[in-house]
Amino acid sequence: MFFKELSDTLMLDLLNNDNAFWVFPIKKDDQKRIRGVATQLHSNDAKPVDPIKTRDELVGSLNSIIDSAFVFYYEKPSAERDSLSPMVRKAANSIVSAVRKTIHLVIQKVFKKMSLHDLKGMAAYLDSMAISEASEDAQAYLGFPLKEELRQQLVRLMTSITEGTHIEQYSSEILRFFSDVVQESTHHYYHKPMALVNVGGFAKKAADLGIDTTEKGILRLIKRVLRDISHDDIKDLPENIHFVVITLDLPYEACTPKFIENKFGMDC
């Protein structure tokens, strides 16, 4: 199921697979909490729903998921293999800290006065992004479909890294690919769900500004890190790409506000 190694067959599969997702692992409890909120909001039960409690539950799960993303994409790789100079590491830590705080602030602004109707759509959307195999102990991920253009870019980049000997041979490809991934992530994690809710006036402008600042901060981080790493630092990426790209045959559509009645064939 996962991309275990880079090979001609694997690259062909990636290029032609519509079931490829760009992901990061999340806690199973967070997946269950989001599923629980979505199920509760779409239930025909006459029992009234507490909007404050429901908002807090969803925000708590989102904040935990955000922290999981930073651990996966930044903190864990830094701890396992840190080839950055102290000066660059300090700059990177500063950027990451600012980006994390901004994202948490955006969530607070967006969800502060969200109606039950909007919470209903948002919870269903988040639930559709929390993907995993249909088993109780399966690893849960948050992810979005990797569209064909990005799959092709990824295949070309992995080939360039495999065949290259100096990072200068493919550094522009790395920057272009990850810049596109950041933009695609912003689309699925912010712009698309924001279109589902009624957040107006100052709150919307503040949230948009925060996300714009976040996107620029991440791109600045990528550019800064690229100036300080070598081919040796990144040559293992092709054989480790399965950590961020998975293939999964889902019986439902991901990244949609439509509630999934029977997501796993069992209650989550």
Side-chain angles (χ1 to χ4, degrees):
M1 183 187 71
F2 299 102
F3 296 122
K4 293 299 186 185
E5 61 182 4
L6 190 69
S7 66
D8 291 341
T9 301
L10 173 61
M11 288 192 291
L12 185 62
D13 288 344
L14 176 57
L15 192 61
N16 296 318
N17 201 317
D18 291 331
N19 299 315
F21 294 85
W22 187 270
V23 301
F24 63 90
I26 63 174
K27 297 174 183 176
K28 194 70 175 181
D29 284 348
D30 288 330
Q31 182 190 34
K32 289 181 177 180
R33 287 168 68 187
I34 290 175
R35 178 65 181 167
V37 171
T39 302
Q40 180 187 26
L41 288 171
H42 289 80
S43 172
N44 293 322
D45 194 341
K47 185 179 179 180
V49 176
D50 184 339
I52 296 177
K53 182 179 179 181
T54 303
R55 273 197 300 268
D56 288 347
E57 188 78 9
L58 207 53
V59 167
S61 297
L62 270 173
N63 284 332
S64 179
I65 285 171
I66 289 166
D67 289 338
S68 294
F70 278 99
V71 168
F72 177 73
Y73 284 126
Y74 184 73
E75 294 177 9
K76 187 176 180 181
S78 296
E80 292 177 349
R81 184 175 182 178
D82 190 359
S83 59
L84 300 180
S85 66
M87 183 178 296
V88 174
R89 172 56 58 198
K90 183 177 180 180
N93 287 344
S94 177
I95 293 172
V96 167
S97 177
V99 167
R100 190 199 296 249
K101 289 177 182 177
T102 300
I103 294 176
H104 282 302
L105 184 60
V106 166
I107 287 177
Q108 294 301 326
K109 289 183 178 296
V110 169
F111 280 84
K112 186 176 182 180
K113 295 182 179 180
M114 191 177 290
S115 68
L116 276 175
H117 177 271
D118 287 349
L119 280 170
K120 188 175 182 178
M122 185 68 79
Y125 182 83
L126 291 170
D127 182 43
S128 77
M129 295 188 81
I131 62 177
S132 69
E133 291 185 308
S135 63
E136 181 67 24
D137 59 349
Q139 173 64 57
Y141 301 89
L142 201 76
F144 57 85
L146 199 61
K147 61 184 183 181
E148 182 180 359
E149 181 182 350
L150 282 177
R151 296 200 305 270
Q152 292 175 345
Q153 275 185 268
L154 180 58
V155 169
R156 290 194 296 268
L157 175 58
M158 296 301 100
T159 302
S160 296
I161 294 174
T162 301
E163 297 177 350
T165 54
H166 301 285
I167 194 170
E168 290 78 9
Q169 295 172 307
Y170 53 81
S171 58
S172 60
E173 287 184 75
I174 294 177
L175 180 58
R176 183 164 55 252
F177 174 73
F178 282 102
S179 295
D180 288 346
V181 167
V182 169
Q183 291 181 357
E184 191 72 2
S185 299
T186 303
H187 169 70
H188 285 290
Y189 292 141
Y190 180 72
H191 293 297
K192 195 172 178 180
M194 279 294 285
L196 305 174
V197 300
N198 182 24
V199 179
F202 179 77
K204 178 64 163 59
K205 291 180 180 179
D208 286 347
L209 178 61
I211 291 300
D212 183 60
T213 301
T214 294
E215 188 173 294
K216 289 177 179 177
I218 294 173
L219 294 177
R220 189 167 70 250
L221 174 63
I222 294 171
K223 291 177 182 178
R224 187 65 187 85
V225 169
L226 274 175
R227 297 208 309 261
D228 205 58
I229 60 176
S230 68
H231 176 70
D232 285 342
D233 297 320
I234 205 166
K235 66 182 180 181
D236 294 333
L237 179 59
E239 63 186 61
N240 291 318
I241 197 65
H242 63 276
F243 288 114
V244 291
V245 179
I246 68 170
T247 55
L248 196 61
D249 293 323
L250 298 179
Y252 55 86
E253 182 182 357
C255 301
T256 173
K258 182 179 179 181
F259 178 63
I260 306 161
E261 294 288 347
N262 188 14
K263 188 174 184 181
F264 298 107
M266 57 183 179
D267 291 334
C268 183

